[in-house]
Amino acid sequence: MGPYARSPKESSADSASNDADRQPGTVRQRPERRGRPRRALRRVAIVVLAVLGLVLASTAVNLLLERYERATIAPYGERMDIAGGAVNVYRSGGTGPPMVLLSGLGTAAPALDFAPLIRELPDFNVIVVEGFGYGYSDLTASERTNQDISTELHEVLTNLNIARPYLLAGHSIAGFYMLDYVNRYPSEVSAVIGIDPTVPKATEGPVELPLQGPGWLRMLSVTGVARAVVAVAPGLAEPDGNAYTADERERIRLMTSWNLGNQAVEDETARIGNNASALRGVRYPDGLPVLAFVSGAGESEEPAKAATLEELLKNVQRHEIVPLAGGHYLHWTQAKPMAEKIREFLAVTGRTIR
């Protein structure tokens, strides 16, 4: 037999194997395809690159749109340089007693947010101070502690040279800063007005925190995702009620996409617990009148919120807590009754013209 000749046994075995392959129902074992993992990785890489390309394109388009919007839409208010940067201040131009308004946490455009209430207060010189991270102010800042925020506000009001004492009003988290401010500068405030103000309830001591940077919310803003979401579902950024003009609503939507998740607000948010702890045991001065509006009148949560405020204000000789129907942003839908109550309260306390 030659070197390539096959023995009868080998031929017989091969024939049997071939017969078995041809038998119905017989599964032939095939070698594993080594190319499959490579093809799968290639597909994943293509998808990742495509997503990355879309993100980069969306970011570029968003940047160009924001630049165009900022260049073509005249900003409201005036920018003022202070120690930490530049903040924006809006003044209504009224000739009456000065009222300083502070916004709630993360409000994109405070001066626009308060527009319905400002329109109901033509007899006051309303001043909206947009802190760092808000409105047209710088979006980066140092640590957002009570002390820093109060010091910055005092510097702004000193530079404005407004008549003292002035009324101090604020929404939501501004409840922290008003409480801190009047204890640092008690002679400068004639009365405090809280709009569903947050009451500091510290459960533990402060924690050492580094300066916080922008997070994933800022990525939604930079990449244009926030812009797209607001365009598709404008109700997520627009205020409730019918007290806003179409232009105000459009600008609020735009400024929401511009300012979302900025560094200053992210740092302020991270320090809520520390700021609450710093105000443990702090109360308003006994002789300082305080008016507080509480949202959700007639709802199950309202009595507990009113009771918490009552506990905070129990030492204040002249205070009043007024429940109103509506959500947390009461000035969106209840501006008129709020303005009427403010005048009534101040008239009784004699603080309107002080």
Side-chain angles (χ1 to χ4, degrees):
M1 296 177 60
Y4 300 105
R6 305 170 70 185
S7 68
K9 290 183 178 180
E10 289 176 332
S11 298
S12 176
D14 287 347
S15 176
S17 175
N18 292 334
D19 289 343
D21 288 344
R22 290 191 293 269
Q23 291 298 317
T26 301
V27 178
R28 185 176 184 181
Q29 299 296 325
R30 297 182 179 179
E32 182 180 352
R33 297 184 179 179
R34 296 179 180 178
R36 285 181 178 177
R38 293 182 180 178
R39 284 196 292 271
L41 288 174
R42 190 178 298 114
R43 292 192 189 101
V44 171
I46 292 172
V47 170
V48 170
L49 289 174
V51 171
L52 181 60
L54 288 173
V55 169
L56 292 175
S58 176
T59 301
V61 170
N62 182 65
L63 178 62
L64 292 173
L65 286 173
E66 184 172 328
R67 284 182 177 176
Y68 173 78
E69 291 156 357
R70 289 183 179 272
T72 57
I73 301 174
Y76 55 76
E78 57 182 310
R79 297 247 303 172
M80 175 188 295
D81 291 326
I82 60 173
V87 296
N88 193 59
V89 180
Y90 170 85
R91 291 187 277 187
S92 68
T95 57
M99 177 187 294
V100 179
L101 274 176
L102 307 176
S103 74
L105 181 67
T107 300
L112 296 176
D113 187 71
F114 283 126
L117 183 58
I118 294 171
R119 282 193 279 269
E120 295 292 340
L121 296 168
D123 47 339
F124 289 84
N125 176 21
V126 180
I127 302 156
V128 181
V129 178
E130 298 183 331
F132 291 120
Y134 295 83
Y136 282 101
S137 298
D138 288 350
L139 301 183
T140 59
S142 61
E143 297 176 353
R144 300 291 78 208
T145 65
N146 297 326
Q147 180 175 353
D148 285 339
I149 292 171
S150 289
T151 301
E152 292 158 3
L153 175 60
H154 186 255
E155 184 177 355
V156 170
L157 298 179
T158 299
N159 291 347
L160 289 174
N161 197 29
I162 63 173
R164 289 171 169 77
Y166 38 79
L167 303 166
L168 186 60
H171 171 238
S172 192
I173 198 65
F176 281 23
Y177 313 134
M178 292 190 297
L179 180 58
D180 182 81
Y181 190 90
V182 299
N183 279 280
R184 293 181 188 276
Y185 311 102
S187 65
E188 299 201 5
V189 180
S190 60
V192 167
I193 302 165
I195 306 171
D196 219 21
T198 305
V199 176
K201 294 182 289 185
T203 57
E204 58 184 26
V207 177
E208 193 67 31
L209 292 174
L211 186 67
Q212 305 298 302
W216 64 272
L217 281 176
R218 192 59 187 162
M219 292 300 297
L220 296 181
S221 172
V222 172
T223 58
V225 174
R227 178 187 295 275
V229 171
V230 169
V232 173
L236 295 176
E238 286 189 22
D240 297 333
N242 55 9
Y244 291 85
T245 67
D247 179 67
E248 287 168 346
R249 290 180 176 277
E250 173 64 17
R251 294 186 68 166
I252 289 172
R253 289 197 299 268
L254 289 177
M255 295 182 75
T256 297
S257 70
W258 298 352
N259 294 347
L260 182 68
N262 64 76
Q263 180 270 326
V265 170
E266 289 289 287
D267 193 82
E268 182 183 358
T269 304
R271 294 180 194 280
I272 289 176
N274 277 10
N275 286 338
S277 179
L279 293 168
R280 181 187 284 122
V282 177
R283 294 187 177 276
Y284 284 102
D286 296 356
L288 181 67
V290 179
L291 170 65
F293 296 103
V294 178
S295 66
E299 299 179 9
S300 58
E301 296 84 0
E302 180 260 312
K305 292 196 294 184
T308 301
L309 274 167
E310 187 64 46
E311 173 62 25
L312 175 66
L313 302 174
K314 63 182 181 182
N315 66 295
V316 177
Q317 298 164 10
R318 175 66 177 131
H319 72 268
E320 188 172 354
I321 299 170
V322 181
L324 290 174
H328 184 49
Y329 286 78
L330 284 169
H331 48 283
W332 288 356
T333 57
Q334 296 285 4
K336 187 176 182 62
M338 287 172 63
E340 293 173 351
K341 186 62 187 179
I342 288 170
R343 292 188 187 93
E344 175 190 321
F345 179 80
L346 295 176
V348 171
T349 61
R351 299 305 174 103
T352 305
I353 57 174
R354 179 181 163 186

